[in-house]
Amino acid sequence: MLRDIVKKIEDLKKKLYTEIDVTGLNSNKTKVLSKEIDNEINKYYNVQTEMYKNYIKSILHLKKITQAFGDFPTTREWNKYAKENMLLSNVTIEYISGLNWNKLRKKIKAEIK
């Protein structure tokens, strides 16, 4: 989804620059394209903000179930739990955190002690 928004922004920027060269900064077409870019940028940040909220929610659940069961879940266990509770998958959590599952396990276990 974010990739699609970024692509659309890039395409609109190209159109905008061409329009500025042809009709100038104050043309109606330039203003319309500029507004479209603004809308796409807002959409991009809204999606990112929502993803970050889901990430934090997922991390809190990871901590909660690690404490409850005394051990960090495997990727299979987590993905099953995440699907049932509408949370992020292990791959998405790894991507956002920049940590692989093993490093994330160590970090969370250290945080809950």
Side-chain angles (χ1 to χ4, degrees):
M1 173 133 180
L2 286 176
R3 219 176 285 193
D4 296 336
I5 296 170
V6 170
K7 170 94 173 84
K8 188 167 184 182
I9 291 170
E10 291 300 321
D11 292 344
L12 287 168
K13 279 175 42 182
K14 288 176 189 174
K15 288 178 184 178
L16 177 65
Y17 295 148
T18 301
E19 193 61 36
I20 290 171
D21 287 341
V22 173
T23 63
L25 284 173
N26 294 321
S27 76
N28 286 335
K29 180 81 172 177
T30 299
K31 291 175 185 177
V32 168
L33 286 168
S34 180
K35 184 67 175 163
E36 282 184 57
I37 291 171
D38 290 347
N39 290 339
E40 291 301 316
I41 289 170
N42 286 335
K43 191 184 307 181
Y44 176 84
Y45 284 111
N46 286 338
V47 168
Q48 274 198 324
T49 301
E50 200 57 40
M51 183 63 76
Y52 185 71
K53 286 179 188 175
N54 288 332
Y55 168 74
I56 296 299
K57 182 178 174 184
S58 297
I59 293 295
L60 290 173
H61 275 262
L62 265 172
K63 288 178 180 180
K64 183 174 112 181
I65 64 173
T66 299
Q67 284 179 318
F69 295 109
D71 202 11
F72 193 77
T74 64
T75 56
R76 181 176 287 192
E77 291 167 339
W78 172 254
N79 288 333
K80 182 178 187 289
Y81 179 86
K83 186 176 181 181
E84 292 168 357
N85 293 280
M86 297 181 62
L87 300 168
L88 300 178
S89 71
N90 76 296
V91 173
T92 305
I93 293 171
E94 287 175 349
Y95 179 79
I96 293 171
S97 69
L99 301 171
N100 67 33
W101 201 245
N102 188 45
K103 288 181 181 176
L104 189 64
R105 177 181 59 82
K106 289 177 184 177
K107 181 179 184 248
I108 286 182
K109 281 188 159 191
E111 288 177 4
I112 61 176
K113 285 187 176 184

mmCIF file with all atom_site columns, all heavy atoms in Angstrom, residues 12-37:
data_model
loop_
_atom_site.group_PDB
_atom_site.id
_atom_site.type_symbol
_atom_site.label_atom_id
_atom_site.label_alt_id
_atom_site.label_comp_id
_atom_site.label_asym_id
_atom_site.label_entity_id
_atom_site.label_seq_id
_atom_site.pdbx_PDB_ins_code
_atom_site.Cartn_x
_atom_site.Cartn_y
_atom_site.Cartn_z
_atom_site.occupancy
_atom_site.B_iso_or_equiv
_atom_site.pdbx_formal_charge
_atom_site.auth_seq_id
_atom_site.auth_comp_id
_atom_site.auth_asym_id
_atom_site.auth_atom_id
_atom_site.pdbx_PDB_model_num
ATOM 1   N N   . LEU A 1 12 ? 2.879  11.984 -9.888  1.00 0.00 ? 12 LEU A N   1
ATOM 2   C CA  . LEU A 1 12 ? 2.281  13.315 -9.822  1.00 0.00 ? 12 LEU A CA  1
ATOM 3   C C   . LEU A 1 12 ? 3.345  14.422 -9.827  1.00 0.00 ? 12 LEU A C   1
ATOM 4   O O   . LEU A 1 12 ? 3.152  15.477 -10.432 1.00 0.00 ? 12 LEU A O   1
ATOM 5   C CB  . LEU A 1 12 ? 1.402  13.450 -8.577  1.00 0.00 ? 12 LEU A CB  1
ATOM 6   C CG  . LEU A 1 12 ? 0.072  12.710 -8.614  1.00 0.00 ? 12 LEU A CG  1
ATOM 7   C CD1 . LEU A 1 12 ? -0.566 12.674 -7.227  1.00 0.00 ? 12 LEU A CD1 1
ATOM 8   C CD2 . LEU A 1 12 ? -0.881 13.341 -9.621  1.00 0.00 ? 12 LEU A CD2 1
ATOM 9   N N   . LYS A 1 13 ? 4.477  14.164 -9.164  1.00 0.00 ? 13 LYS A N   1
ATOM 10  C CA  . LYS A 1 13 ? 5.557  15.147 -9.164  1.00 0.00 ? 13 LYS A CA  1
ATOM 11  C C   . LYS A 1 13 ? 6.085  15.397 -10.582 1.00 0.00 ? 13 LYS A C   1
ATOM 12  O O   . LYS A 1 13 ? 6.318  16.550 -10.962 1.00 0.00 ? 13 LYS A O   1
ATOM 13  C CB  . LYS A 1 13 ? 6.705  14.673 -8.265  1.00 0.00 ? 13 LYS A CB  1
ATOM 14  C CG  . LYS A 1 13 ? 6.479  14.940 -6.808  1.00 0.00 ? 13 LYS A CG  1
ATOM 15  C CD  . LYS A 1 13 ? 7.532  14.370 -5.884  1.00 0.00 ? 13 LYS A CD  1
ATOM 16  C CE  . LYS A 1 13 ? 8.945  14.519 -6.330  1.00 0.00 ? 13 LYS A CE  1
ATOM 17  N NZ  . LYS A 1 13 ? 9.926  13.914 -5.408  1.00 0.00 ? 13 LYS A NZ  1
ATOM 18  N N   . LYS A 1 14 ? 6.236  14.321 -11.333 1.00 0.00 ? 14 LYS A N   1
ATOM 19  C CA  . LYS A 1 14 ? 6.704  14.470 -12.722 1.00 0.00 ? 14 LYS A CA  1
ATOM 20  C C   . LYS A 1 14 ? 5.722  15.310 -13.533 1.00 0.00 ? 14 LYS A C   1
ATOM 21  O O   . LYS A 1 14 ? 6.114  16.209 -14.276 1.00 0.00 ? 14 LYS A O   1
ATOM 22  C CB  . LYS A 1 14 ? 6.896  13.099 -13.375 1.00 0.00 ? 14 LYS A CB  1
ATOM 23  C CG  . LYS A 1 14 ? 8.091  12.343 -12.863 1.00 0.00 ? 14 LYS A CG  1
ATOM 24  C CD  . LYS A 1 14 ? 8.176  10.962 -13.481 1.00 0.00 ? 14 LYS A CD  1
ATOM 25  C CE  . LYS A 1 14 ? 9.249  10.143 -12.805 1.00 0.00 ? 14 LYS A CE  1
ATOM 26  N NZ  . LYS A 1 14 ? 9.264  8.758  -13.266 1.00 0.00 ? 14 LYS A NZ  1
ATOM 27  N N   . LYS A 1 15 ? 4.437  15.003 -13.357 1.00 0.00 ? 15 LYS A N   1
ATOM 28  C CA  . LYS A 1 15 ? 3.406  15.778 -14.064 1.00 0.00 ? 15 LYS A CA  1
ATOM 29  C C   . LYS A 1 15 ? 3.433  17.241 -13.625 1.00 0.00 ? 15 LYS A C   1
ATOM 30  O O   . LYS A 1 15 ? 3.293  18.149 -14.442 1.00 0.00 ? 15 LYS A O   1
ATOM 31  C CB  . LYS A 1 15 ? 2.015  15.191 -13.805 1.00 0.00 ? 15 LYS A CB  1
ATOM 32  C CG  . LYS A 1 15 ? 1.757  13.882 -14.485 1.00 0.00 ? 15 LYS A CG  1
ATOM 33  C CD  . LYS A 1 15 ? 0.368  13.357 -14.127 1.00 0.00 ? 15 LYS A CD  1
ATOM 34  C CE  . LYS A 1 15 ? 0.123  12.000 -14.710 1.00 0.00 ? 15 LYS A CE  1
ATOM 35  N NZ  . LYS A 1 15 ? -1.201 11.462 -14.320 1.00 0.00 ? 15 LYS A NZ  1
ATOM 36  N N   . LEU A 1 16 ? 3.603  17.454 -12.333 1.00 0.00 ? 16 LEU A N   1
ATOM 37  C CA  . LEU A 1 16 ? 3.632  18.808 -11.795 1.00 0.00 ? 16 LEU A CA  1
ATOM 38  C C   . LEU A 1 16 ? 4.799  19.603 -12.384 1.00 0.00 ? 16 LEU A C   1
ATOM 39  O O   . LEU A 1 16 ? 4.616  20.743 -12.824 1.00 0.00 ? 16 LEU A O   1
ATOM 40  C CB  . LEU A 1 16 ? 3.723  18.783 -10.271 1.00 0.00 ? 16 LEU A CB  1
ATOM 41  C CG  . LEU A 1 16 ? 3.844  20.142 -9.570  1.00 0.00 ? 16 LEU A CG  1
ATOM 42  C CD1 . LEU A 1 16 ? 2.574  20.962 -9.774  1.00 0.00 ? 16 LEU A CD1 1
ATOM 43  C CD2 . LEU A 1 16 ? 4.132  19.953 -8.088  1.00 0.00 ? 16 LEU A CD2 1
ATOM 44  N N   . TYR A 1 17 ? 5.983  19.005 -12.395 1.00 0.00 ? 17 TYR A N   1
ATOM 45  C CA  . TYR A 1 17 ? 7.151  19.712 -12.927 1.00 0.00 ? 17 TYR A CA  1
ATOM 46  C C   . TYR A 1 17 ? 6.969  20.042 -14.407 1.00 0.00 ? 17 TYR A C   1
ATOM 47  O O   . TYR A 1 17 ? 7.321  21.139 -14.849 1.00 0.00 ? 17 TYR A O   1
ATOM 48  C CB  . TYR A 1 17 ? 8.424  18.895 -12.714 1.00 0.00 ? 17 TYR A CB  1
ATOM 49  C CG  . TYR A 1 17 ? 8.787  18.691 -11.265 1.00 0.00 ? 17 TYR A CG  1
ATOM 50  C CD1 . TYR A 1 17 ? 9.419  17.534 -10.843 1.00 0.00 ? 17 TYR A CD1 1
ATOM 51  C CD2 . TYR A 1 17 ? 8.481  19.645 -10.295 1.00 0.00 ? 17 TYR A CD2 1
ATOM 52  C CE1 . TYR A 1 17 ? 9.755  17.341 -9.518  1.00 0.00 ? 17 TYR A CE1 1
ATOM 53  C CE2 . TYR A 1 17 ? 8.808  19.457 -8.968  1.00 0.00 ? 17 TYR A CE2 1
ATOM 54  C CZ  . TYR A 1 17 ? 9.452  18.301 -8.580  1.00 0.00 ? 17 TYR A CZ  1
ATOM 55  O OH  . TYR A 1 17 ? 9.780  18.107 -7.266  1.00 0.00 ? 17 TYR A OH  1
ATOM 56  N N   . THR A 1 18 ? 6.396  19.114 -15.144 1.00 0.00 ? 18 THR A N   1
ATOM 57  C CA  . THR A 1 18 ? 6.129  19.370 -16.565 1.00 0.00 ? 18 THR A CA  1
ATOM 58  C C   . THR A 1 18 ? 5.122  20.510 -16.700 1.00 0.00 ? 18 THR A C   1
ATOM 59  O O   . THR A 1 18 ? 5.305  21.412 -17.526 1.00 0.00 ? 18 THR A O   1
ATOM 60  C CB  . THR A 1 18 ? 5.591  18.096 -17.252 1.00 0.00 ? 18 THR A CB  1
ATOM 61  O OG1 . THR A 1 18 ? 6.561  17.062 -17.119 1.00 0.00 ? 18 THR A OG1 1
ATOM 62  C CG2 . THR A 1 18 ? 5.297  18.343 -18.716 1.00 0.00 ? 18 THR A CG2 1
ATOM 63  N N   . GLU A 1 19 ? 4.081  20.474 -15.904 1.00 0.00 ? 19 GLU A N   1
ATOM 64  C CA  . GLU A 1 19 ? 3.050  21.512 -15.962 1.00 0.00 ? 19 GLU A CA  1
ATOM 65  C C   . GLU A 1 19 ? 3.616  22.882 -15.585 1.00 0.00 ? 19 GLU A C   1
ATOM 66  O O   . GLU A 1 19 ? 3.272  23.891 -16.196 1.00 0.00 ? 19 GLU A O   1
ATOM 67  C CB  . GLU A 1 19 ? 1.877  21.139 -15.052 1.00 0.00 ? 19 GLU A CB  1
ATOM 68  C CG  . GLU A 1 19 ? 0.642  21.959 -15.261 1.00 0.00 ? 19 GLU A CG  1
ATOM 69  C CD  . GLU A 1 19 ? 0.058  21.845 -16.645 1.00 0.00 ? 19 GLU A CD  1
ATOM 70  O OE1 . GLU A 1 19 ? 0.101  20.757 -17.242 1.00 0.00 ? 19 GLU A OE1 1
ATOM 71  O OE2 . GLU A 1 19 ? -0.453 22.870 -17.149 1.00 0.00 ? 19 GLU A OE2 1
ATOM 72  N N   . ILE A 1 20 ? 4.492  22.930 -14.600 1.00 0.00 ? 20 ILE A N   1
ATOM 73  C CA  . ILE A 1 20 ? 5.120  24.195 -14.217 1.00 0.00 ? 20 ILE A CA  1
ATOM 74  C C   . ILE A 1 20 ? 5.937  24.752 -15.375 1.00 0.00 ? 20 ILE A C   1
ATOM 75  O O   . ILE A 1 20 ? 5.875  25.944 -15.673 1.00 0.00 ? 20 ILE A O   1
ATOM 76  C CB  . ILE A 1 20 ? 5.991  24.021 -12.953 1.00 0.00 ? 20 ILE A CB  1
ATOM 77  C CG1 . ILE A 1 20 ? 5.103  23.785 -11.731 1.00 0.00 ? 20 ILE A CG1 1
ATOM 78  C CG2 . ILE A 1 20 ? 6.889  25.243 -12.734 1.00 0.00 ? 20 ILE A CG2 1
ATOM 79  C CD1 . ILE A 1 20 ? 5.860  23.374 -10.470 1.00 0.00 ? 20 ILE A CD1 1
ATOM 80  N N   . ASP A 1 21 ? 6.685  23.874 -16.051 1.00 0.00 ? 21 ASP A N   1
ATOM 81  C CA  . ASP A 1 21 ? 7.482  24.315 -17.202 1.00 0.00 ? 21 ASP A CA  1
ATOM 82  C C   . ASP A 1 21 ? 6.601  24.851 -18.324 1.00 0.00 ? 21 ASP A C   1
ATOM 83  O O   . ASP A 1 21 ? 6.949  25.815 -18.982 1.00 0.00 ? 21 ASP A O   1
ATOM 84  C CB  . ASP A 1 21 ? 8.348  23.167 -17.738 1.00 0.00 ? 21 ASP A CB  1
ATOM 85  C CG  . ASP A 1 21 ? 9.517  22.832 -16.826 1.00 0.00 ? 21 ASP A CG  1
ATOM 86  O OD1 . ASP A 1 21 ? 9.883  23.687 -15.984 1.00 0.00 ? 21 ASP A OD1 1
ATOM 87  O OD2 . ASP A 1 21 ? 10.065 21.714 -16.948 1.00 0.00 ? 21 ASP A OD2 1
ATOM 88  N N   . VAL A 1 22 ? 5.445  24.221 -18.534 1.00 0.00 ? 22 VAL A N   1
ATOM 89  C CA  . VAL A 1 22 ? 4.569  24.596 -19.652 1.00 0.00 ? 22 VAL A CA  1
ATOM 90  C C   . VAL A 1 22 ? 3.695  25.796 -19.313 1.00 0.00 ? 22 VAL A C   1
ATOM 91  O O   . VAL A 1 22 ? 3.607  26.749 -20.097 1.00 0.00 ? 22 VAL A O   1
ATOM 92  C CB  . VAL A 1 22 ? 3.686  23.387 -20.067 1.00 0.00 ? 22 VAL A CB  1
ATOM 93  C CG1 . VAL A 1 22 ? 2.654  23.794 -21.098 1.00 0.00 ? 22 VAL A CG1 1
ATOM 94  C CG2 . VAL A 1 22 ? 4.553  22.253 -20.598 1.00 0.00 ? 22 VAL A CG2 1
ATOM 95  N N   . THR A 1 23 ? 3.031  25.780 -18.156 1.00 0.00 ? 23 THR A N   1
ATOM 96  C CA  . THR A 1 23 ? 2.033  26.825 -17.871 1.00 0.00 ? 23 THR A CA  1
ATOM 97  C C   . THR A 1 23 ? 2.402  27.764 -16.725 1.00 0.00 ? 23 THR A C   1
ATOM 98  O O   . THR A 1 23 ? 1.702  28.732 -16.484 1.00 0.00 ? 23 THR A O   1
ATOM 99  C CB  . THR A 1 23 ? 0.663  26.182 -17.552 1.00 0.00 ? 23 THR A CB  1
ATOM 100 O OG1 . THR A 1 23 ? 0.791  25.399 -16.368 1.00 0.00 ? 23 THR A OG1 1
ATOM 101 C CG2 . THR A 1 23 ? 0.167  25.343 -18.699 1.00 0.00 ? 23 THR A CG2 1
ATOM 102 N N   . GLY A 1 24 ? 3.453  27.440 -15.971 1.00 0.00 ? 24 GLY A N   1
ATOM 103 C CA  . GLY A 1 24 ? 3.877  28.301 -14.869 1.00 0.00 ? 24 GLY A CA  1
ATOM 104 C C   . GLY A 1 24 ? 3.327  27.862 -13.521 1.00 0.00 ? 24 GLY A C   1
ATOM 105 O O   . GLY A 1 24 ? 2.504  26.951 -13.427 1.00 0.00 ? 24 GLY A O   1
ATOM 106 N N   . LEU A 1 25 ? 3.794  28.548 -12.475 1.00 0.00 ? 25 LEU A N   1
ATOM 107 C CA  . LEU A 1 25 ? 3.431  28.185 -11.101 1.00 0.00 ? 25 LEU A CA  1
ATOM 108 C C   . LEU A 1 25 ? 1.981  28.482 -10.736 1.00 0.00 ? 25 LEU A C   1
ATOM 109 O O   . LEU A 1 25 ? 1.414  27.829 -9.873  1.00 0.00 ? 25 LEU A O   1
ATOM 110 C CB  . LEU A 1 25 ? 4.328  28.934 -10.115 1.00 0.00 ? 25 LEU A CB  1
ATOM 111 C CG  . LEU A 1 25 ? 5.748  28.409 -9.959  1.00 0.00 ? 25 LEU A CG  1
ATOM 112 C CD1 . LEU A 1 25 ? 6.557  29.361 -9.090  1.00 0.00 ? 25 LEU A CD1 1
ATOM 113 C CD2 . LEU A 1 25 ? 5.746  27.029 -9.340  1.00 0.00 ? 25 LEU A CD2 1
ATOM 114 N N   . ASN A 1 26 ? 1.392  29.466 -11.356 1.00 0.00 ? 26 ASN A N   1
ATOM 115 C CA  . ASN A 1 26 ? 0.065  29.911 -10.935 1.00 0.00 ? 26 ASN A CA  1
ATOM 116 C C   . ASN A 1 26 ? -1.089 29.373 -11.775 1.00 0.00 ? 26 ASN A C   1
ATOM 117 O O   . ASN A 1 26 ? -2.222 29.803 -11.584 1.00 0.00 ? 26 ASN A O   1
ATOM 118 C CB  . ASN A 1 26 ? 0.013  31.444 -10.909 1.00 0.00 ? 26 ASN A CB  1
ATOM 119 C CG  . ASN A 1 26 ? 0.932  32.002 -9.843  1.00 0.00 ? 26 ASN A CG  1
ATOM 120 O OD1 . ASN A 1 26 ? 1.030  31.447 -8.754  1.00 0.00 ? 26 ASN A OD1 1
ATOM 121 N ND2 . ASN A 1 26 ? 1.634  33.066 -10.163 1.00 0.00 ? 26 ASN A ND2 1
ATOM 122 N N   . SER A 1 27 ? -0.809 28.425 -12.637 1.00 0.00 ? 27 SER A N   1
ATOM 123 C CA  . SER A 1 27 ? -1.908 27.901 -13.459 1.00 0.00 ? 27 SER A CA  1
ATOM 124 C C   . SER A 1 27 ? -2.823 27.009 -12.618 1.00 0.00 ? 27 SER A C   1
ATOM 125 O O   . SER A 1 27 ? -2.421 26.460 -11.590 1.00 0.00 ? 27 SER A O   1
ATOM 126 C CB  . SER A 1 27 ? -1.369 27.102 -14.649 1.00 0.00 ? 27 SER A CB  1
ATOM 127 O OG  . SER A 1 27 ? -0.918 25.837 -14.229 1.00 0.00 ? 27 SER A OG  1
ATOM 128 N N   . ASN A 1 28 ? -4.063 26.892 -13.056 1.00 0.00 ? 28 ASN A N   1
ATOM 129 C CA  . ASN A 1 28 ? -5.036 26.048 -12.341 1.00 0.00 ? 28 ASN A CA  1
ATOM 130 C C   . ASN A 1 28 ? -4.596 24.590 -12.328 1.00 0.00 ? 28 ASN A C   1
ATOM 131 O O   . ASN A 1 28 ? -4.753 23.900 -11.316 1.00 0.00 ? 28 ASN A O   1
ATOM 132 C CB  . ASN A 1 28 ? -6.429 26.186 -12.962 1.00 0.00 ? 28 ASN A CB  1
ATOM 133 C CG  . ASN A 1 28 ? -7.059 27.515 -12.611 1.00 0.00 ? 28 ASN A CG  1
ATOM 134 O OD1 . ASN A 1 28 ? -6.721 28.121 -11.606 1.00 0.00 ? 28 ASN A OD1 1
ATOM 135 N ND2 . ASN A 1 28 ? -7.979 27.976 -13.452 1.00 0.00 ? 28 ASN A ND2 1
ATOM 136 N N   . LYS A 1 29 ? -4.064 24.110 -13.438 1.00 0.00 ? 29 LYS A N   1
ATOM 137 C CA  . LYS A 1 29 ? -3.612 22.715 -13.541 1.00 0.00 ? 29 LYS A CA  1
ATOM 138 C C   . LYS A 1 29 ? -2.477 22.460 -12.539 1.00 0.00 ? 29 LYS A C   1
ATOM 139 O O   . LYS A 1 29 ? -2.455 21.423 -11.868 1.00 0.00 ? 29 LYS A O   1
ATOM 140 C CB  . LYS A 1 29 ? -3.158 22.417 -14.972 1.00 0.00 ? 29 LYS A CB  1
ATOM 141 C CG  . LYS A 1 29 ? -2.679 21.030 -15.198 1.00 0.00 ? 29 LYS A CG  1
ATOM 142 C CD  . LYS A 1 29 ? -3.795 20.061 -15.392 1.00 0.00 ? 29 LYS A CD  1
ATOM 143 C CE  . LYS A 1 29 ? -3.193 18.731 -15.808 1.00 0.00 ? 29 LYS A CE  1
ATOM 144 N NZ  . LYS A 1 29 ? -4.130 17.699 -15.961 1.00 0.00 ? 29 LYS A NZ  1
ATOM 145 N N   . THR A 1 30 ? -1.563 23.404 -12.390 1.00 0.00 ? 30 THR A N   1
ATOM 146 C CA  . THR A 1 30 ? -0.468 23.272 -11.428 1.00 0.00 ? 30 THR A CA  1
ATOM 147 C C   . THR A 1 30 ? -1.016 23.191 -10.009 1.00 0.00 ? 30 THR A C   1
ATOM 148 O O   . THR A 1 30 ? -0.590 22.364 -9.207  1.00 0.00 ? 30 THR A O   1
ATOM 149 C CB  . THR A 1 30 ? 0.513  24.468 -11.560 1.00 0.00 ? 30 THR A CB  1
ATOM 150 O OG1 . THR A 1 30 ? 1.061  24.479 -12.871 1.00 0.00 ? 30 THR A OG1 1
ATOM 151 C CG2 . THR A 1 30 ? 1.636  24.384 -10.548 1.00 0.00 ? 30 THR A CG2 1
ATOM 152 N N   . LYS A 1 31 ? -1.969 24.038 -9.699  1.00 0.00 ? 31 LYS A N   1
ATOM 153 C CA  . LYS A 1 31 ? -2.568 24.044 -8.359  1.00 0.00 ? 31 LYS A CA  1
ATOM 154 C C   . LYS A 1 31 ? -3.295 22.731 -8.063  1.00 0.00 ? 31 LYS A C   1
ATOM 155 O O   . LYS A 1 31 ? -3.220 22.208 -6.948  1.00 0.00 ? 31 LYS A O   1
ATOM 156 C CB  . LYS A 1 31 ? -3.521 25.229 -8.217  1.00 0.00 ? 31 LYS A CB  1
ATOM 157 C CG  . LYS A 1 31 ? -2.799 26.564 -8.188  1.00 0.00 ? 31 LYS A CG  1
ATOM 158 C CD  . LYS A 1 31 ? -3.780 27.721 -8.161  1.00 0.00 ? 31 LYS A CD  1
ATOM 159 C CE  . LYS A 1 31 ? -3.050 29.050 -8.258  1.00 0.00 ? 31 LYS A CE  1
ATOM 160 N NZ  . LYS A 1 31 ? -3.960 30.195 -8.304  1.00 0.00 ? 31 LYS A NZ  1
ATOM 161 N N   . VAL A 1 32 ? -3.995 22.204 -9.071  1.00 0.00 ? 32 VAL A N   1
ATOM 162 C CA  . VAL A 1 32 ? -4.717 20.938 -8.901  1.00 0.00 ? 32 VAL A CA  1
ATOM 163 C C   . VAL A 1 32 ? -3.728 19.802 -8.646  1.00 0.00 ? 32 VAL A C   1
ATOM 164 O O   . VAL A 1 32 ? -3.926 18.982 -7.735  1.00 0.00 ? 32 VAL A O   1
ATOM 165 C CB  . VAL A 1 32 ? -5.606 20.639 -10.136 1.00 0.00 ? 32 VAL A CB  1
ATOM 166 C CG1 . VAL A 1 32 ? -6.119 19.205 -10.105 1.00 0.00 ? 32 VAL A CG1 1
ATOM 167 C CG2 . VAL A 1 32 ? -6.760 21.622 -10.204 1.00 0.00 ? 32 VAL A CG2 1
ATOM 168 N N   . LEU A 1 33 ? -2.654 19.743 -9.433  1.00 0.00 ? 33 LEU A N   1
ATOM 169 C CA  . LEU A 1 33 ? -1.646 18.689 -9.242  1.00 0.00 ? 33 LEU A CA  1
ATOM 170 C C   . LEU A 1 33 ? -0.970 18.819 -7.875  1.00 0.00 ? 33 LEU A C   1
ATOM 171 O O   . LEU A 1 33 ? -0.727 17.813 -7.202  1.00 0.00 ? 33 LEU A O   1
ATOM 172 C CB  . LEU A 1 33 ? -0.607 18.733 -10.356 1.00 0.00 ? 33 LEU A CB  1
ATOM 173 C CG  . LEU A 1 33 ? -1.071 18.220 -11.718 1.00 0.00 ? 33 LEU A CG  1
ATOM 174 C CD1 . LEU A 1 33 ? -0.065 18.570 -12.807 1.00 0.00 ? 33 LEU A CD1 1
ATOM 175 C CD2 . LEU A 1 33 ? -1.311 16.722 -11.670 1.00 0.00 ? 33 LEU A CD2 1
ATOM 176 N N   . SER A 1 34 ? -0.695 20.031 -7.470  1.00 0.00 ? 34 SER A N   1
ATOM 177 C CA  . SER A 1 34 ? -0.080 20.262 -6.164  1.00 0.00 ? 34 SER A CA  1
ATOM 178 C C   . SER A 1 34 ? -0.995 19.763 -5.044  1.00 0.00 ? 34 SER A C   1
ATOM 179 O O   . SER A 1 34 ? -0.537 19.130 -4.084  1.00 0.00 ? 34 SER A O   1
ATOM 180 C CB  . SER A 1 34 ? 0.222  21.745 -5.993  1.00 0.00 ? 34 SER A CB  1
ATOM 181 O OG  . SER A 1 34 ? 0.807  21.980 -4.745  1.00 0.00 ? 34 SER A OG  1
ATOM 182 N N   . LYS A 1 35 ? -2.272 20.037 -5.170  1.00 0.00 ? 35 LYS A N   1
ATOM 183 C CA  . LYS A 1 35 ? -3.249 19.583 -4.175  1.00 0.00 ? 35 LYS A CA  1
ATOM 184 C C   . LYS A 1 35 ? -3.336 18.053 -4.149  1.00 0.00 ? 35 LYS A C   1
ATOM 185 O O   . LYS A 1 35 ? -3.438 17.444 -3.068  1.00 0.00 ? 35 LYS A O   1
ATOM 186 C CB  . LYS A 1 35 ? -4.628 20.196 -4.472  1.00 0.00 ? 35 LYS A CB  1
ATOM 187 C CG  . LYS A 1 35 ? -5.679 19.876 -3.457  1.00 0.00 ? 35 LYS A CG  1
ATOM 188 C CD  . LYS A 1 35 ? -5.378 20.510 -2.122  1.00 0.00 ? 35 LYS A CD  1
ATOM 189 C CE  . LYS A 1 35 ? -6.525 20.251 -1.160  1.00 0.00 ? 35 LYS A CE  1
ATOM 190 N NZ  . LYS A 1 35 ? -6.146 20.480 0.217   1.00 0.00 ? 35 LYS A NZ  1
ATOM 191 N N   . GLU A 1 36 ? -3.279 17.422 -5.305  1.00 0.00 ? 36 GLU A N   1
ATOM 192 C CA  . GLU A 1 36 ? -3.300 15.953 -5.376  1.00 0.00 ? 36 GLU A CA  1
ATOM 193 C C   . GLU A 1 36 ? -2.084 15.369 -4.662  1.00 0.00 ? 36 GLU A C   1
ATOM 194 O O   . GLU A 1 36 ? -2.206 14.369 -3.939  1.00 0.00 ? 36 GLU A O   1
ATOM 195 C CB  . GLU A 1 36 ? -3.317 15.484 -6.831  1.00 0.00 ? 36 GLU A CB  1
ATOM 196 C CG  . GLU A 1 36 ? -4.653 15.590 -7.509  1.00 0.00 ? 36 GLU A CG  1
ATOM 197 C CD  . GLU A 1 36 ? -4.615 15.008 -8.917  1.00 0.00 ? 36 GLU A CD  1
ATOM 198 O OE1 . GLU A 1 36 ? -4.260 13.823 -9.070  1.00 0.00 ? 36 GLU A OE1 1
ATOM 199 O OE2 . GLU A 1 36 ? -4.933 15.756 -9.857  1.00 0.00 ? 36 GLU A OE2 1
ATOM 200 N N   . ILE A 1 37 ? -0.927 15.986 -4.854  1.00 0.00 ? 37 ILE A N   1
ATOM 201 C CA  . ILE A 1 37 ? 0.282  15.515 -4.175  1.00 0.00 ? 37 ILE A CA  1
ATOM 202 C C   . ILE A 1 37 ? 0.114  15.660 -2.664  1.00 0.00 ? 37 ILE A C   1
ATOM 203 O O   . ILE A 1 37 ? 0.451  14.744 -1.903  1.00 0.00 ? 37 ILE A O   1
ATOM 204 C CB  . ILE A 1 37 ? 1.531  16.279 -4.675  1.00 0.00 ? 37 ILE A CB  1
ATOM 205 C CG1 . ILE A 1 37 ? 1.841  15.890 -6.124  1.00 0.00 ? 37 ILE A CG1 1
ATOM 206 C CG2 . ILE A 1 37 ? 2.748  15.983 -3.786  1.00 0.00 ? 37 ILE A CG2 1
ATOM 207 C CD1 . ILE A 1 37 ? 2.910  16.744 -6.776  1.00 0.00 ? 37 ILE A CD1 1
#
